[in-house]
Amino acid sequence: MTNGLARSSVRFRPASFAGTLVALLLGAAVVVACGVLLQTGLTASLKPARYADTPVVVAADQAVKIQRKVGTDTETTEEATPERARTDAALAGRLAALPGVAAARPDSAFPLPASGRAPALTGRGFAALGIAGPGDTLVEGRAPGANEVVLDADTAHAAHIAPGANLTLTAPGGTADYRVSGLAAAQQAGPTAWFADATADRLSGHPGRIDAIAVQPRAGVTTAALAAQVRQAVGGDAGAGAGAGAGAVKVLTGDDRGAVEHPDLGGARTLLMALGGSFGGYATMTAVFVVMSTVALATGQRAREFALLRAIGATPRQIRRTIAAEAMLVAPLAAALGILPGIALARWWFDQLVERGAVPADVRLDVGPLPMLAAVLACTLAALTAGFLAARRPSRMRAAQALGEAAVEAPRPGAVRTVLGLVFAAGGIAAAAIATSLDGAKAAQTALGVVMCFMMAVALLGPWLARVAAAVLGAPLRAGGAPGSLAADNTRANARRLASAITPIVLVTAFCGTLLIIQSTVRHTSGENVRAGVTADHVVGATGPGLPAGTAERAGRVPGVDTAVGVLRTGVVYRNGDQLSSAPVLGVDGDPARLPKVLDLGVRSGSLADLGRAPDTVALSSTLAEAFGAKVGDRVPLWLGDGTAVRPAVVAVYDRGLGVGQALLPRAAVAAHVTAGYDSQVLVADAPGADRAAVAAGLGGLAGAAVTDRAGFVAQSDKAMEVNGWANTVMAAVLGGFAAVSAANTLVMTVLDRRREVALLRLAGTTRRQVRGMMRWEALLVASTGLAVGAVIAAVTLVPVARGVANSAPYVPPMLALPLAAGAVLLCLAATGVPVRALLRTRPAGLGAARQ
């Protein structure tokens, strides 16, 4: 019987179940997309190319890790290093002495910008020749000496360079002339230059440290046996050690070797897991929330049907089983239909990350069955739960009472629902209050949680909010004539129906407003800091991988220059409670006492003149200092870009960090701990009375330099900030779009359920124009109430977050707020107006049919 009732309900009430199907389909698509990104982050790997013929590779772990006790378990937290982590060069010699090792070749790479006859090259030590395979050999000439270099044959022939030619090459360690001593086989990795090992060590900018060690076995030694010997020699796989960083050695085989060639793979995996996991969790909660709201609305609209079933003898158990059967008919099908759109969304999202350089191009999207199963299961359980809860009250009533209750709306929400709503509202307020005492990163992490608490409160207390809105806006509505008066009376008498329409608008406003205003606040504050903080007259940027060592010193000797300060952009990792976070850092060169002439950072305490007077000093932005709870004179624990742990002393705290740099360190302290030791920019201040154009022309004569004004400082803005900003925008679009479609879906379902009401109004003499006017006023009431409540939720959430992230009030650009408000109003008007026109095509005499 129940299966037959379920099939009949789906067949004869298609509009109601179509709305449910749309909500379930969209929810499944969001869950699948986030699940695919999460799965890709967990499984992302790259096939080795350079190390394809090297069975075992030894390299430093490309992540900083900390461990903490959670009960009896140990939990490891990690953060990818902002720069390439390296290992000790002396380890190669120790590994070469192992009985199963035939060769242990040290391998490092550093960029050489194009100069003169030579194109852009990758520099390596000559000991690395042969790593790429048996054909990776010297084909002409001899090995390089102290002032010599070997080029790959393809590059040499293309540039018409033969052995014996002289080249001027610039490396992180300096610029010098080198004689070409020989040619090597063509390289799959591109143009390459090999130096004598001692010379390469000096030129790399990180002497004594190497990228990796390629280990070859002796005859008869298996890869497993070789890896075991190497692990024992290096003390096991040290990558999981507490506080692991530089020097934490990993022994890699199989596809794991590809990560050595692509050290940015770790950061990409972290980003994908954050998007798929953290955002995916909130997106899944939102999807379940919307699905449950839609299913509950569709079930509640059938109160008369359930009452009639009770009147003809159906038991409460049969009604609940009917609802379960309906959910099992609709939910799996709808979720299955959402799989392909979800995969398409995940693929688009992933391709955009690759295009922005946040994910290596060779990583492939991992589309597996688990996200699809999770989507089907989550949507089915949400539909079942919502249906049971909505039908619980009518299914438990006595038959005669059920028909009476179904004729009118319940006078007020139940006590349990009201209490739960108040609890969630209190939880949201408490979470927002706690966020005011947190630093930026922690405060930002609370944002979506606060929004979810308030959204649950709105869903549960929706009828009360609708009654308040109807009471507050009732008088203005009645001033709008008969349509407005009808709208005011309808909204007051049908608060539950109004609440169902308001909740999705609140969801759109709160989620989109929170995510987009966070980003606008960060951009606005960053721009203000750069405009106020960068006081340099000229910014010398690089046309290649960076500016060679000594560029700031040479710029300082240009006539008319008063101050020249080199800037090396890097990052640090720091502990933020139980988590690890990263922050952009500037390594500054030159006299720190002259730094205020090119950077006015709004020093709050201490002095930038003390930066660099000792090698272990640092200046912190106020937000980073608050995260540490540090003041001038304190020592703070940091990991430099390559994971090296340091504890510098704080010499200054400044306000203008966002957009400029969250910390300043002496260049000498960070130069050996970056992927390539080139300055990103040189900031130049003119001497009083100097000819600005002449100074710019003189700076333009520096090798590999491009001169702009202070606006050029943002040309190399923090990549992580850009990616995070784009990710926030996409999250807002995904959640906002989902919520907007769900809002339209809910409004359409609500309007189509009012056939009897519209038919009765028409029989009573109400004109079509008055009905349309009434619906428009109701739509405007829904939009204004949803926008107002959503704006309050966003404001309560954003105030502590903006203070923590940007140390400012939330910045709401008019071109963001106005389109959002206009979009919500147009959405309500369209989603109400179109189905109303369809209803009005029915003649007033159709009241009898409307009762069916």
Side-chain angles (χ1 to χ4, degrees):
M1 173 184 173
T2 54
N3 289 337
L5 285 174
R7 288 193 297 271
S8 298
S9 296
V10 174
R11 180 180 177 184
F12 292 106
R13 295 181 62 94
S16 176
F17 285 99
T20 302
L21 186 140
V22 169
L24 288 165
L25 187 153
L26 293 175
V30 172
V31 175
V32 168
C34 294
V36 169
L37 289 182
L38 175 60
Q39 181 168 301
T40 302
L42 292 171
T43 62
S45 64
L46 291 169
K47 294 285 185 182
R50 178 172 175 76
Y51 299 115
D53 292 321
T54 302
V56 175
V57 178
V58 177
D61 194 355
Q62 302 298 313
V64 174
K65 299 180 180 179
I66 57 174
Q67 292 180 341
R68 65 188 184 97
K69 285 287 186 181
V70 181
T72 58
D73 298 327
T74 300
E75 184 178 280
T76 300
T77 301
E78 67 177 67
E79 176 77 11
T81 55
E83 310 281 355
R84 178 187 277 275
R86 298 182 173 92
T87 192
D88 188 358
L91 181 59
R94 297 201 299 272
L95 295 180
L98 294 177
V101 173
R105 293 188 177 94
D107 192 21
S108 278
F110 48 92
L112 306 173
S115 59
R117 298 168 62 189
L121 300 162
T122 297
R124 297 186 185 275
F126 190 72
L129 189 66
I131 288 178
D136 189 21
T137 59
L138 196 67
V139 297
E140 185 178 345
R142 58 178 174 79
N147 296 307
E148 294 179 325
V149 65
V150 168
L151 299 180
D152 70 277
D154 281 356
T155 299
H157 294 156
H160 305 290
I161 300 172
N166 290 313
L167 298 176
T168 299
L169 298 176
T170 297
T175 301
D177 293 331
Y178 299 91
R179 179 180 179 274
V180 179
S181 67
L183 302 180
Q187 297 293 301
Q188 184 180 0
T192 307
W194 289 268
F195 299 87
D197 292 332
T199 303
D201 187 55
R202 174 175 53 82
L203 293 179
S204 67
H206 44 83
R209 311 291 294 179
I210 56 176
D211 295 351
I213 302 170
V215 184
Q216 294 287 352
R218 293 185 182 276
V221 178
T222 65
T223 298
L226 179 64
Q229 283 190 31
V230 174
R231 285 194 178 94
Q232 185 175 6
V234 301
D237 190 352
V249 178
K250 299 191 77 172
V251 179
L252 306 167
T253 59
D255 286 351
D256 290 340
R257 295 169 295 168
V260 181
E261 300 178 37
H262 302 274
D264 52 349
L265 179 61
R269 293 183 64 180
T270 300
L271 175 63
L272 288 170
M273 287 188 288
L275 288 175
S278 300
F279 170 64
Y282 288 113
T284 301
M285 290 172 62
T286 304
V288 170
F289 173 81
V290 170
V291 165
M292 291 185 68
S293 297
T294 306
V295 173
L297 173 63
T299 306
Q301 289 176 341
R302 298 165 58 197
R304 289 174 55 83
E305 177 183 324
F306 294 141
L308 183 59
L309 289 173
R310 291 285 291 125
I312 61 175
T315 65
R317 183 168 179 268
Q318 287 175 324
I319 292 178
R320 289 193 295 268
R321 288 184 61 187
T322 298
I323 294 170
E326 292 170 357
M328 295 307 297
L329 285 173
V330 177
L333 174 62
L337 292 175
I339 289 174
L340 288 180
I343 294 173
L345 174 60
R347 189 169 297 282
W348 174 85
W349 204 339
F350 182 80
D351 289 343
Q352 290 296 308
L353 291 171
V354 172
E355 184 178 321
R356 284 165 172 76
V359 175
D362 292 332
V363 175
R364 293 291 173 260
L365 192 68
D366 186 3
V367 180
L370 289 179
M372 305 173 196
L373 293 174
V376 172
L377 183 62
C379 290
T380 302
L381 289 177
L384 280 170
T385 303
F388 277 136
L389 291 176
R392 184 176 60 88
R393 187 166 182 269
S395 69
R396 295 173 60 183
M397 289 182 182
R398 293 189 299 273
Q401 182 186 8
L403 284 171
E405 291 282 346
V408 295
E409 185 178 275
R412 63 179 63 86
V416 174
R417 177 174 179 170
T418 302
V419 170
L420 286 176
L422 293 173
V423 168
F424 276 107
I429 294 171
I434 293 172
T436 59
S437 62
L438 300 177
D439 64 85
K442 291 181 180 177
Q445 291 170 2
T446 67
L448 292 181
V450 172
V451 172
M452 288 305 301
C453 281
F454 281 124
M455 284 309 307
M456 290 300 298
V458 169
L460 293 167
L461 299 177
W464 292 111
L465 290 175
R467 287 175 182 273
V468 171
V472 172
L473 299 177
L477 283 177
R478 289 187 174 87
S485 181
L486 282 172
D489 293 336
N490 265 317
T491 53
R492 186 170 183 177
N494 296 281
R496 286 178 181 269
R497 183 178 65 200
L498 184 65
S500 298
I502 289 173
T503 301
I505 303 301
V506 176
L507 186 66
V508 173
T509 307
F511 268 121
C512 290
T514 299
L515 290 171
L516 294 178
I517 292 173
I518 285 176
Q519 188 55 34
S520 68
T521 302
V522 169
R523 286 179 179 171
H524 176 74
T525 304
S526 297
E528 290 292 314
N529 286 346
V530 170
R531 284 189 287 272
V534 181
T535 58
D537 297 302
H538 310 279
V539 176
V540 181
T543 57
L547 296 170
T551 301
E553 183 181 350
R554 292 195 297 275
R557 294 196 295 265
V558 172
V561 170
D562 178 72
T563 301
V565 174
V567 173
L568 190 159
R569 293 178 183 268
T570 180
V572 294
V573 176
Y574 64 97
R575 186 164 184 167
N576 188 13
D578 294 329
Q579 302 297 317
L580 290 170
S581 301
S582 60
V585 170
L586 298 183
V588 293
D589 195 10
D591 184 1
R594 305 180 72 84
L595 189 60
K597 293 193 174 184
V598 293
L599 280 177
D600 178 11
L601 299 179
V603 176
R604 178 183 294 184
S605 59
S607 173
L608 294 178
D610 295 329
L611 185 69
R613 290 187 176 177
D616 55 346
T617 54
V618 65
L620 299 178
S621 67
S622 54
T623 53
L624 200 55
E626 289 175 10
F628 284 116
K631 59 185 183 299
V632 173
D634 292 344
R635 290 193 174 271
V636 293
L638 297 171
W639 287 271
L640 298 180
D642 65 347
T644 301
V646 294
R647 289 184 63 86
V650 179
V651 297
V653 176
Y654 55 90
D655 288 327
R656 297 189 184 109
L658 194 65
V660 179
Q662 295 290 356
L664 301 183
L665 285 161
R667 187 188 191 282
V670 301
H673 304 279
V674 296
T675 301
Y678 293 109
D679 284 349
S680 305
Q681 294 159 325
V682 173
L683 308 180
V684 177
D686 292 346
D691 185 339
R692 187 184 182 95
V695 172
L699 294 172
L702 299 176
V707 183
T708 63
D709 58 15
R710 68 187 65 180
F713 184 84
V714 300
Q716 296 189 31
S717 58
D718 180 31
K719 177 181 175 181
M721 183 180 294
E722 291 182 0
V723 173
N724 287 337
W726 176 84
N728 273 352
T729 303
V730 173
M731 282 190 267
V734 171
L735 284 181
F738 174 45
V741 174
S742 299
N745 184 41
T746 301
L747 288 166
V748 170
M749 290 175 62
T750 302
V751 172
L752 291 178
D753 190 56
R754 299 171 67 178
R755 289 183 178 88
R756 297 179 66 255
E757 176 186 332
V758 170
L760 184 60
L761 287 172
R762 295 284 288 121
L763 285 176
T766 308
T767 65
R768 287 186 173 88
R769 183 177 180 182
Q770 288 174 327
V771 172
R772 289 195 296 269
M774 176 190 74
M775 292 294 191
R776 278 196 295 269
W777 282 115
E778 288 187 23
L780 291 174
L781 187 146
V782 167
S784 58
T785 304
L787 286 169
V789 176
V792 170
I793 292 174
V796 172
T797 304
L798 284 167
V799 168
V801 173
R803 185 208 60 80
V805 172
N807 199 23
S808 69
Y811 175 71
V812 186
M815 294 310 295
L816 172 62
L818 293 178
L820 185 62
V825 171
L826 291 176
L827 175 71
C828 291
L829 289 174
T832 302
V834 173
V836 164
R837 289 184 179 275
L839 290 183
L840 289 175
R841 293 193 186 102
T842 305
R843 299 174 61 84
L847 177 60
R851 287 174 175 170
Q852 301 300 319

